[in-house]
Structure formats: structure tokens, C-alpha cells
Amino acid sequence: SFHKSRIQRKAMTITEVVETTIDDEYYVDEDGAAEGDGAAEGEGAADGEATELTSGHTVPKGVAVEELKNYRGHKKLRDECPPAVQELLTAKGLFDVYDKFVDTMASQKSTRGPLGKWRDAQFISVLDQFQDDFIDKGVKVCLCKRSSGKGTYRWLEFIDVEALEEPYVPQFDVSNFSGQLISTCYTKLEFPNGVAVEELKQWKGRKKLKEKIPIHLEKLLEKHDLMAEYDQMIDHVIESGVSTNMKNWETEKLKVILDQYKPMFASKGIDVYVSHKQEYISHGQYGGHYEYFRWIEYVDRAEQPNYQPQRNAEEKDEKCSIM
């Protein structure tokens, strides 16, 4: 388990590696997929301003992007190269390396499953064979993946390190995922190293929050000497972060509470966010209801300088109606 008793935590050391998989993935703009947008083909900001991808993610100036078709995408990867990526590769003298990389990716069937779906671990294994050649000329290449209710997006980021105006770490870099998950009814949100997540459970949430702490969060708090501040904040959350009937978490109250403690954490390099997601569950002819998911994210800015929460409660309103 990711959790252990808050009382016992200082006397224990737990090291755990968790491999996460997404069993049911829905792909955008492909056969059998829901209608939606993919990562913008040919997009990037190798020589311009920051670019927002249609997956909802933004890459800064100095990053060129190549979309990956999720099913049977090896031929497109081998035969096509977006203009922004071409421009960067030409400037860096990396076209030969790129050609060998995509040819290898297309020829090695182990990178794809029976239906042609990319296997992320095998994809990264091939990419790692060429990573040093890219880095030698100032470019880092990352396989990125983002899942949402609309579908699953995959893309490659080609990062021109010298062109970056400030530190940049791709937060959807598959090779840097920590194994932490928030599982909702329709999707699974994944989080990178440098971000610790604590879910606010709906069922007996106050009791569970009082008794247990995720291991990733414990390590972050101990590293930055924030355990006392955390305990104080969580006690406040348990006491005042719920609705008047004391049964459900209330996002607006949680935001107010966290605002009081954010400066304490920020002074030690940690940003704190309350996040939430609601999903409508249909009952067919009998209507339906909303399921609510809430969690707190603790971001180590030394490891994740540009990270932004996917479901920041400050930016995404919560529906309150029950149908």
C-alpha cells in the first residue's frame, strides 16, 4: 500500500515500486474512439511563443512536438515529420539520429501490442538507445502521455535545452511517472516524480486522512522538514473542510484552508493545490448522479519547476447538483 499510520510513520521506512497500467484506453480521432482532439500535429514552439496543444497541455518556446497515433502509429512516425520538429533537427544536425530512431521504432514489433497499440515501456527502451546522441547536440526527447475523459494522448517532446527561457520539466513524461494514481470512474490520472498526492476519500474520508499518509508525501515532507506544518494543516482540514452535516468534503472550504498554509510550504519550496474532478454517472431512464473526487497535490518546485495540476480547483468549478 502507498499508505501507513501517521502515528507509526517516523519509526518505519518503506520502499515500494509500483508499476501502473491503463487497461482500457480510449483514443482520440481513431477507429472506435470518441470524437475529440489529439495532440496538435506539427505543433511546437521551437522558434516561437508557448504553444497550447489540443490535449490541453502547453509547451514553452524551445519545445517541438510530434503527435503519436496510438494505434498502428509506427508507419506515420517513420514516414512523417512535423515542420517544427524538422526545423529543430535541421538546426541541430540531428536528422540522421532521428531517422535511425524512427526506423528502429517502426521495425521492432515489440514496441507495439497485437492491435498495434504502443507499449510505453518498450517505446522508452528504444528511445533510450538514442537519447545520448540527441543530448550530445543539446536536445532531450521525451515520450509523453495524458489520459482524460476525452481519450488518451501520446506525443514526443523535442526539447532544445539552450532555447529554453526558464527551467522546464515535461510533466507528462512517461519515464518520470511516479506510480501514483487517482482513479475515477472514467479515467486514471498519473503523476510525476516531484509531486506527492493525497486523496480525500468520500467514504470515511476524515478518519482515513487522520490515520494514514501516502509514502510519496511522507518522503517529501521529511525531506523539506514540513511534517509539523502538514500535521497542523491536516487537523484543520479534518475539522473545517467538510459540509455542515460533516459527511462530505467541501471544495470551497478546502481552498480557504489551504490558502492559509500555502505560504508555510512555499517558503520551503513546496506548492500546495487542492484538486477535484466530478463525473456524471447515468442511471439511464432514471436520470443519474455526480461522483466527486478530491485530492491535495504537493509540488516540489526543485524537481517540477513548471508543473501545473490537471484539475486545479482554483480554475475548474465544481458542479453541486444531484440528478
Side-chain angles (χ1 to χ4, degrees):
S1 171
F2 276 124
H3 300 81
K4 68 171 181 283
S5 167
R6 293 176 72 195
I7 298 172
Q8 297 176 335
R9 65 186 178 224
K10 293 184 180 179
M12 300 175 65
T13 301
I14 297 179
T15 302
E16 181 173 359
V17 177
V18 176
E19 181 178 350
T20 61
T21 60
I22 294 182
D23 296 324
D24 296 313
E25 293 185 349
Y26 297 91
Y27 297 99
V28 179
D29 290 341
E30 298 181 28
D31 293 342
E35 183 177 344
D37 298 319
E41 173 61 16
E43 292 285 0
D47 191 30
E49 300 303 318
T51 302
E52 182 176 356
L53 309 181
T54 49
S55 64
H57 181 54
T58 300
V59 297
K61 176 182 177 181
V63 180
V65 173
E66 180 167 11
E67 176 190 19
L68 295 175
K69 185 180 177 182
N70 288 296
Y71 280 110
R72 300 176 294 277
H74 60 288
K75 293 182 179 179
K76 183 177 181 181
L77 177 62
R78 181 192 62 201
D79 298 337
E80 301 179 22
C81 182
V85 177
Q86 290 185 35
E87 181 181 348
L88 176 59
L89 295 173
T90 300
K92 296 291 185 178
L94 278 167
F95 244 117
D96 286 345
V97 175
Y98 173 83
D99 282 343
K100 291 177 183 177
F101 160 58
V102 296
D103 285 345
T104 303
M105 195 67 69
S107 64
Q108 291 197 8
K109 295 182 179 180
S110 64
T111 60
R112 304 176 297 280
L115 299 178
K117 185 180 75 172
W118 291 114
R119 289 173 167 165
D120 295 332
Q122 287 83 352
F123 191 111
I124 292 170
S125 178
V126 173
L127 176 57
D128 284 346
Q129 298 174 31
F130 297 90
Q131 191 71 263
D132 287 345
D133 293 328
F134 283 106
I135 291 175
D136 284 345
K137 295 192 176 182
V139 175
K140 181 179 180 181
V141 186
C142 298
L143 171 65
C144 297
K145 181 176 72 173
R146 181 177 188 177
S147 298
S148 72
K150 293 182 178 180
T152 297
Y153 308 84
R154 280 181 177 84
W155 66 94
L156 287 170
E157 292 190 16
F158 296 81
I159 304 167
D160 183 350
V161 178
E162 293 180 353
L164 295 174
E165 296 178 344
E166 53 188 29
Y168 174 71
V169 175
Q171 73 181 68
F172 296 105
D173 180 356
V174 174
S175 67
N176 196 36
F177 281 159
S178 63
Q180 298 172 96
L181 284 178
I182 294 291
S183 296
T184 71
C185 298
Y186 296 127
T187 192
K188 294 179 182 179
L189 302 176
E190 299 180 83
F191 299 88
N193 291 306
V195 177
V197 181
E198 184 162 39
E199 189 168 4
L200 304 176
K201 296 286 189 179
Q202 283 291 91
W203 178 251
K204 296 183 179 180
R206 298 166 74 211
K207 182 176 184 291
K208 293 176 181 177
L209 191 61
K210 182 76 174 177
E211 294 177 348
K212 298 179 179 180
I213 178 173
I215 186 62
H216 287 84
L217 176 56
E218 183 195 30
K219 290 180 178 179
L220 180 147
L221 296 171
E222 290 180 344
K223 177 181 176 181
H224 294 272
D225 191 24
L226 279 165
M227 199 64 75
E229 292 88 338
Y230 167 80
D231 284 338
Q232 182 181 353
M233 184 183 77
I234 290 302
D235 286 343
H236 196 171
V237 166
I238 291 171
E239 179 183 353
S240 304
V242 292
S243 58
T244 52
N245 62 10
M246 306 297 284
K247 291 185 178 180
N248 300 310
W249 298 111
E250 194 166 302
T251 301
E252 289 304 314
K253 289 183 178 180
L254 293 170
K255 287 159 61 176
V256 171
I257 293 170
L258 262 63
D259 282 345
Q260 299 177 41
Y261 293 90
K262 284 182 178 181
M264 300 180 190
F265 284 82
S267 68
K268 296 184 178 181
I270 305 299
D271 284 344
V272 184
Y273 302 90
V274 58
S275 295
H276 69 106
K277 192 176 192 299
Q278 64 276 333
E279 295 176 343
Y280 183 72
I281 310 300
S282 174
H283 300 168
Q285 63 178 326
Y286 302 105
H289 73 281
Y290 281 100
E291 287 289 338
Y292 297 90
F293 305 88
R294 301 177 182 88
W295 63 94
I296 301 173
E297 298 184 28
Y298 302 80
V299 183
D300 185 340
R301 285 303 178 193
E303 294 187 44
Q304 290 289 337
N306 51 275
Y307 176 89
Q308 294 297 322
Q310 300 175 58
R311 306 294 309 182
N312 189 354
E314 295 292 343
E315 299 173 358
K316 297 182 180 293
D317 293 333
E318 186 172 90
K319 298 179 180 66
C320 298
S321 58
I322 303 295
M323 301 178 67

